[in-house]
Amino acid sequence: MLPSIVDRALDWTVIPGYTRIGYGLRKSSWDGDAIAGLDGWTVLVTGASGGIGAATVERLARAGATVH
């Protein structure tokens, strides 16, 4: 409950919500490598040859999605 209240408050205060302050406050409620199970999902990722796109493809595939 508290993490969702913090998220909502930071979203309403855009500047601090999307800076190091917001990251630091939100980070405590994140579960490191956890990503929702995506079994049966099909996902299309463009720009997946490197960088953020490649990392996204890896995480989605690990979660069970079929990635194109």
Side-chain angles (χ1 to χ4, degrees), residues 25-50:
L25 290 171
R26 289 176 169 159
K27 186 172 102 172
S28 64
S29 67
W30 296 341
D31 186 9
D33 251 359
I35 187 169
L38 299 176
D39 294 329
W41 284 65
T42 301
V43 182
L44 173 66
V45 179
T46 61
S49 60

Side-chain angles (χ1 to χ4, degrees), residues 35 38 45 48-65 67:
I35 187 169
L38 299 176
V45 179
S49 60
I52 293 173
T56 300
V57 168
E58 282 183 34
R59 293 288 300 265
L60 291 170
R62 252 191 288 153
V67 184

Side-chain angles (χ1 to χ4, degrees), residues 16-28:
Y18 294 94
T19 62
R20 289 182 188 189
I21 297 166
Y23 174 79
L25 290 171
R26 289 176 169 159
K27 186 172 102 172
S28 64

